[in-house]
Structure formats: structure tokens, C-alpha cells
Amino acid sequence: MTTPTALDSFLDKWRSRWPEWAVAEVFVPEDRRAATLAWFALLQEFDDILNIAGDPLPADAKLGWWGTELRDWSTHRSRHPLGRLLEPVPAPWSALADALPTLVAARERPADGAAALAALAGYGGAVAAVEASVLGGTPPQAQAIAAQVLATRLAEAGLQAVPQARQPGDADATAARERAQRDWAAELLAAWPAKAGGSPARRMWGAFARHRLGRFAQGHVPQPGRQPLGLLWRAWRAARG
């Protein structure tokens, strides 16, 4: 029996949130699987910083640390376990570091859907540029990345993630709060490019995220990992492009 490593803890955390990947991973070339998992786990770290509940100061300090770490990756130095897999890849790491502070501003409730997407446009573009180096293929669309980040924020933060324009008039009414969140989910789906580009791995992850968001918009509770045959079909279609 092997002892879990620090790297394993980050990878397993991402896998636990995306059990669909157990089905999809077969469509990723074996020699790219480790880097793919590490990259997605890194993005989850940034999602967690964006969606922090309570005092944001520790998360903001962590974000600053990540900025330094990513700049060090540009000179092939790393301290974080994920860097062992990602730092050797020549990528615009410093540009991604420069985009991280926008996550702090993105915690503020936007005026409307357009403002929510615009707040993450720079971050989405920086992620797309690095991802093309890490995963190969063409960069995914920045708006698709922003939409996926906002979908995750909705799942984590609930009504707090809904733009001001869609806030319920009666904030104390449960039905109104739920409807506002479903309406925002539907707006995000409409803004999310159906053909978002990127590597097969990104397309599969995006397909799973879109499916969850669609279920939520329809008033259903997403049940990740259920119906493996459906997951396999969804992954295969997304991998094919």
C-alpha cells in the first residue's frame, strides 16, 4: 500500500468534485493524463479562492502567493506539488499570474451578466493561453472559460453569485431565490459558446460542467457520476469535437 503524497491530495480533491472524469479519462492520451489532472486541479485552487466564504484575507494572501509561484515557474522553479508536473511546461505562466488579482474583484456582485463575464475576460484569456501549452491543441475560448468559472461560482456561492439585475425582489422568499439562481444558470448557458474549442480534455470537462448547469437551470439537483453510459456518450462526443 502506497502512502498518499501532497500531490495526490490535490488531484484527489479535483477527482472527488468531478467523478465524471473516471469515465472520461480513457479519451485522454496516457502520457497527458497526469499533466491534465494537475492543470485542472490548479484551476480548482483558483476557483476556491474566488468562492471563499467568510473572511477573504487568507484567500487573498494565498492568491498573492500563487502569483509569485507562477512567476517562478517561468524560470523553472517550483515549491507547490502541482508545479512538479506543470512547471516544466513552457507556458505564459507570468501572464496568468498577472491575471489572478481579477479574481478578487470578481467576488463583487456584478451589475448584470455581461459585467460578470467581462470581469473574468482577462483571466479567461490567460487561462486559455497557458492551457494550450499544457494540454495542446488550440486555446479554448476565453468566454467559455469565464462561463465555466461562473457556473462553479453559482454552485458554490448560490444567490451571492447572481448578478444584481437578477436578484429577487423578495429576497426572503425561497421560491424567488431559487428562480433567480435558475434564471442566471440559463443566462450562463446561453452565453457559453457551444463550440468552445480547446483540447479534448477541456471539451469533456466543459461538457460535464454544462450538463450540470443545464440540470440546475431546469430545477433539478445535479447528480455527478450517475448514469455512466450517458457520461461515456457525453465524453466521447466532446472528445471528438
Side-chain angles (χ1 to χ4, degrees):
M1 180 177 179
T2 58
T3 302
T5 65
L7 175 61
D8 291 333
S9 69
F10 287 99
L11 302 182
D12 290 345
K13 182 170 70 170
W14 187 84
R15 285 184 181 276
S16 70
R17 294 188 186 180
W18 295 94
E20 300 98 322
W21 197 250
V23 174
E25 193 171 39
V26 67
F27 297 114
V28 178
E30 190 169 357
D31 62 347
R32 288 186 175 270
R33 291 177 189 174
T36 298
L37 273 177
W39 172 241
F40 289 165
L42 176 65
L43 294 182
Q44 179 170 272
E45 292 300 301
F46 299 153
D47 282 340
D48 288 348
I49 290 171
L50 169 62
N51 300 320
I52 189 71
D55 183 4
L57 291 180
D60 293 349
K62 187 176 182 181
L63 195 67
W65 183 92
W66 269 116
T68 300
E69 177 74 353
L70 292 176
R71 291 185 181 92
D72 285 346
W73 289 5
S74 293
T75 56
H76 299 293
R77 293 179 296 168
S78 64
R79 291 168 291 172
H80 197 277
L82 293 173
R84 307 296 186 269
L85 293 173
L86 296 174
E87 165 266 306
V89 180
W93 297 113
S94 291
L96 179 56
D98 291 341
L100 291 183
T102 62
L103 296 178
V104 175
R107 289 195 201 115
E108 298 297 323
R109 181 176 292 158
D112 53 26
L117 289 164
L120 289 167
Y123 173 73
V127 168
V130 172
E131 188 166 304
S133 297
V134 175
L135 303 186
T138 59
Q141 290 190 37
Q143 181 152 318
I145 291 174
Q148 186 165 337
V149 170
L150 289 170
T152 298
R153 179 156 177 72
L154 176 60
E156 294 291 328
L159 190 64
Q160 177 60 33
V162 177
Q164 187 61 42
R166 290 197 175 276
Q167 287 291 315
D170 183 0
D172 295 325
T174 299
R177 294 197 303 269
E178 292 177 350
R179 183 168 59 253
Q181 293 175 69
R182 291 197 305 271
D183 289 347
W184 174 227
E187 184 176 347
L188 275 177
L189 281 171
W192 193 329
K195 296 291 185 180
S199 68
R202 163 59 72 173
R203 296 197 300 270
M204 288 188 290
W205 188 22
F208 296 146
R210 281 180 63 98
H211 181 72
R212 289 189 188 187
L213 188 64
R215 294 282 296 170
F216 183 81
Q218 294 168 4
H220 303 295
V221 177
Q223 296 180 313
R226 299 288 183 89
Q227 299 179 328
L229 289 179
L231 289 176
L232 185 64
W233 173 247
R234 196 170 298 117
W236 177 76
R237 289 188 63 187
R240 287 188 64 199

